[in-house]
Amino acid sequence: MKSIKSLSALGISGLLAIALVTGCGTGEKANQTAGQASPEKKVIVMGTSADYPPYEFHDQSSGKDEIVGFDVDIAKKIASELGYELKIQDMDFNGLLPALQAGRVGFVMAGMTPTDERRQNVDFSILYYDAKNTIVAKKGSNLTKPEDLKGKKVGVQLGSIQEGDAKELAKEIQGMELKPLNKIPEIIQEIKAGRIDAAIIEDTVAKGYTGANPDLQFHVIPPKGPNGSAVAFPKGSKNAEEFNKVLKKLKDSGEMEQLVKKWFEQK
């Protein structure tokens, strides 16, 4: 989404004032005429990869294509609390952080784990949800633990934390071959078609896909280090502190737990 340059205020006495509108990643112009005051309107753009249910995905049940999910609900609550109008920009997962660094989006929510490598380039909020990696494979394949992936072709989402974790596993497991793909649905179809043997996918996402595909199953990989999802921001962004306050409020009030139940436990 293109940015709109800031306009300086025009001093036409008693007749016209132009309100400067700013946002992270994009902005919009709002006019204010004499005798008709309007509040400042801010727009903030969320970058995401809407192929990752229940975090974010395309829903067409209402007759129109809408991006919904756990992350989207959280982002809407934060935007409302901070007085932003939220806009969502969908793209491939591996393009999210470059878009953030280039200023095309104001923040990223995509079930993203704040790894040390990512922290070198962007800032993160506090963790808002914890998750684990799993092995997804066909039922009866007996691929239930990392050692079983010896000599197997394993799918991962390009640019995801699972890709990094899988690369580390491949160093330890002889003959484990990785096949990075852009979208989780592509990975699932590759398993079902037999072109890959398994995939490493986050547990909440795996639960949704295996529920919809009864010929598949998943098994949790015991974590070796920290997991979880956080909001990503450009380096030095003041929004990180604001977002953290709202995230803590959502946790303390119990609203976050309600969203967890809505999107994960009732699937």
Side-chain angles (χ1 to χ4, degrees):
M1 190 170 291
K2 297 180 179 178
S3 296
I4 299 177
K5 296 181 179 179
S6 301
L7 300 176
S8 58
L10 300 179
I12 303 176
S13 177
L15 295 177
L16 178 66
I18 299 180
L20 176 65
V21 180
T22 61
C24 290
T26 187
E28 287 188 355
K29 289 180 280 187
N31 292 328
Q32 186 174 312
T33 57
Q36 186 180 9
S38 64
E40 181 180 294
K41 184 181 181 183
K42 300 180 291 183
V43 177
I44 192 165
V45 179
M46 166 182 162
T48 195
S49 181
D51 64 332
Y52 209 53
Y55 287 88
E56 42 270 318
F57 59 98
H58 288 270
D59 178 21
Q60 298 178 338
S61 61
S62 64
K64 62 179 181 179
D65 189 9
E66 183 181 10
I67 297 176
V68 300
F70 179 57
D71 283 345
V72 176
D73 278 3
I74 295 172
K76 286 179 177 179
K77 286 182 177 292
I78 293 173
S80 176
E81 183 77 17
L82 298 178
Y84 287 108
E85 176 187 341
L86 179 68
K87 293 191 176 180
I88 301 174
Q89 188 167 330
D90 185 20
M91 63 188 76
D92 286 345
F93 189 87
N94 63 318
L96 288 172
L97 294 190
L100 186 65
Q101 292 175 287
R104 295 195 296 273
V105 298
F107 70 99
V108 164
M109 288 185 76
M112 184 173 285
T113 300
T115 62
D116 290 340
E117 182 180 359
R118 288 171 178 162
R119 286 185 185 278
Q120 294 177 15
N121 300 305
V122 299
D123 289 339
F124 282 97
S125 70
I126 59 174
L127 292 178
Y128 59 86
Y129 187 68
D130 195 14
K132 300 177 180 65
N133 290 338
T134 72
I135 297 171
V136 177
K138 287 183 179 180
K139 284 184 177 178
S141 64
N142 294 319
L143 302 179
T144 63
K145 53 188 183 297
E147 307 90 84
D148 297 332
L149 300 178
K150 180 179 179 180
K152 303 299 182 183
K153 188 176 290 187
V154 180
V156 288
Q157 186 178 37
L158 188 65
S160 69
I161 186 66
Q162 286 73 35
E163 181 186 23
D165 291 345
K167 285 179 179 178
E168 292 302 312
L169 278 178
K171 294 177 183 178
E172 305 171 7
I173 301 172
Q174 186 178 6
M176 177 177 160
E177 180 185 347
L178 298 185
K179 184 174 182 180
L181 294 164
N182 280 321
K183 302 288 186 180
I184 297 293
E186 294 177 53
I187 296 174
I188 297 299
Q189 287 306 313
E190 291 292 287
I191 297 173
K192 291 171 71 69
R195 288 187 286 269
I196 59 177
D197 301 294
I200 295 179
I201 299 174
E202 188 177 302
D203 61 338
T204 51
V205 177
K207 186 183 297 183
Y209 279 104
T210 55
N213 296 273
D215 55 328
L216 303 180
Q217 62 183 6
F218 73 93
H219 292 85
V220 173
I221 301 174
K224 292 184 177 180
N227 287 292
S229 301
V231 186
F233 305 93
K235 274 290 185 182
S237 173
K238 295 179 181 179
N239 282 330
E241 184 178 352
E242 287 187 328
F243 273 51
N244 279 341
K245 289 179 181 178
V246 182
L247 287 171
K248 288 176 181 177
K249 182 177 178 181
L250 290 174
K251 288 184 175 184
D252 293 343
S253 68
E255 287 186 80
M256 187 68 77
E257 183 60 28
Q258 291 175 11
L259 291 178
V260 169
K261 290 180 179 179
K262 171 184 175 181
W263 290 105
F264 299 122
E265 296 184 12
Q266 297 179 8
K267 293 296 175 183

